[in-house]
Amino acid sequence: MRISDILRVKGERVVTVSPEADVTELLAVLAEHRIGAVVVARDGRVEGIVSERDVVRALADRGAAVLTEPVAAIATAQVRSVTRDAAVHDVERLMTERRFRHVPVIEDGALRGVVSIGDVVKFRIDELETERHSLEEYITGERA
Ligand code: AMP
């Protein structure tokens, strides 16, 4: 199964924030959309990714002054992205090894979606359910 299978269900919408927006605005965006990370982009070009973890770390380091700093000051500039044809299992491994929970889907410089660890776990549960169902049918000889 491919990342495109996940995007077909969840859609290609990506929430972005400009690098000049301040951290308070970023928090409002995260809260409004009930998400844990946003892509930092300028004129459609990806310049980074910033997650709630970056905010927590910066707050622990520098205190409330962080809230008026630009998003670019706390974002990760080196974004690891994948393409739509990436295998879900490879992306799962990437997230586990690199310890991040979000991966933007970028093709020819254009954002095509974001996959979170939650999307991957949901996909895996659905996959295991289908497998279990097929095995049950195989063992009992019954078709539901
Ligand atoms: P997360 O687990 O996604 O909340 O992010 C943990 C850390 O990894 C934060 O510092 C993020 O800025 C960074 N991060 C998240 N996703 C990516 C990604 N796809 N590429 C590079 N860094 C990322």
Side-chain angles (χ1 to χ4, degrees), residues 16-20 38-49 111:
T16 63
V17 68
S18 104
E20 292 87 16
V38 293
V39 171
V40 182
R42 192 203 306 267
D43 303 325
R45 232 194 44 235
V46 175
E47 297 199 354
I49 187 162
L111 265 170

Side-chain angles (χ1 to χ4, degrees), residues 83-132:
T83 54
R84 293 166 56 84
D85 64 357
V88 174
H89 289 248
D90 289 340
V91 176
E92 192 181 334
R93 197 169 309 121
L94 174 75
M95 286 174 152
T96 309
E97 282 168 4
R98 306 290 285 268
R99 292 174 181 271
F100 41 61
R101 296 166 295 177
H102 304 86
V103 178
V105 182
I106 301 177
E107 281 177 354
D108 301 325
L111 265 170
R112 302 293 305 271
V114 166
V115 173
S116 75
I117 194 87
D119 300 325
V120 172
V121 168
K122 181 183 179 310
F123 171 88
R124 292 283 278 153
I125 290 170
D126 291 349
E127 195 179 52
L128 286 171
E129 261 311 299
T130 309
E131 216 171 270
R132 186 184 65 85

Side-chain angles (χ1 to χ4, degrees), residues 36-37 49-54 57 74-76 78-81 98-104:
I49 187 162
V50 64
S51 92
E52 53 202 1
R53 285 207 180 152
D54 298 311
R57 254 184 244 134
I74 65 165
T76 303
Q78 211 67 350
V79 179
R80 186 68 174 77
S81 66
R98 306 290 285 268
R99 292 174 181 271
F100 41 61
R101 296 166 295 177
H102 304 86
V103 178

